[in-house]
Amino acid sequence: MKAQKKALATDISTSVESKLAEIGEQSKKVKKMIQQSAKKLAAKLIKVTKKEEKKKLKAKKTKKAKTAVAIQ
């Protein structure tokens, strides 16, 4: 979980920094803010994907239960 979050945050910050590098050189403060924002965004994205997975699993279980009742 932490490794996934860290990798995602790194990818996000690298992408943003590369786009900003086209404009010009960024200060350390800007780079630090980008990294912090990327960490927050990665955490939110992981949280949302987990919720989606739980919803899908719940829907599958409900569907299986309905089909089992229909068969009986």
Side-chain angles (χ1 to χ4, degrees):
M1 170 74 171
K2 286 185 178 183
Q4 182 184 15
K5 180 180 170 184
K6 191 172 185 177
L8 184 58
T10 303
D11 290 343
I12 293 169
S13 65
T14 302
S15 297
V16 172
E17 286 177 3
S18 66
K19 287 293 180 182
L20 289 175
E22 294 173 2
I23 297 170
E25 182 118 6
Q26 303 301 317
S27 66
K28 287 183 181 181
K29 190 174 185 177
V30 172
K31 288 181 181 182
K32 187 175 182 179
M33 289 303 297
I34 291 170
Q35 289 174 350
Q36 289 176 351
S37 297
K39 285 179 185 178
K40 289 179 184 178
L41 179 60
K44 287 181 182 180
L45 288 172
I46 290 172
K47 187 177 181 180
V48 168
T49 54
K50 278 188 173 185
K51 284 184 180 180
E52 288 294 322
E53 288 175 5
K54 285 182 181 180
K55 284 182 182 179
K56 286 179 184 178
L57 288 174
K58 190 174 183 180
K60 281 184 181 181
K61 287 180 183 178
T62 306
K63 187 176 181 180
K64 286 181 182 179
K66 286 182 180 179
T67 56
V69 170
I71 292 171
Q72 294 176 350

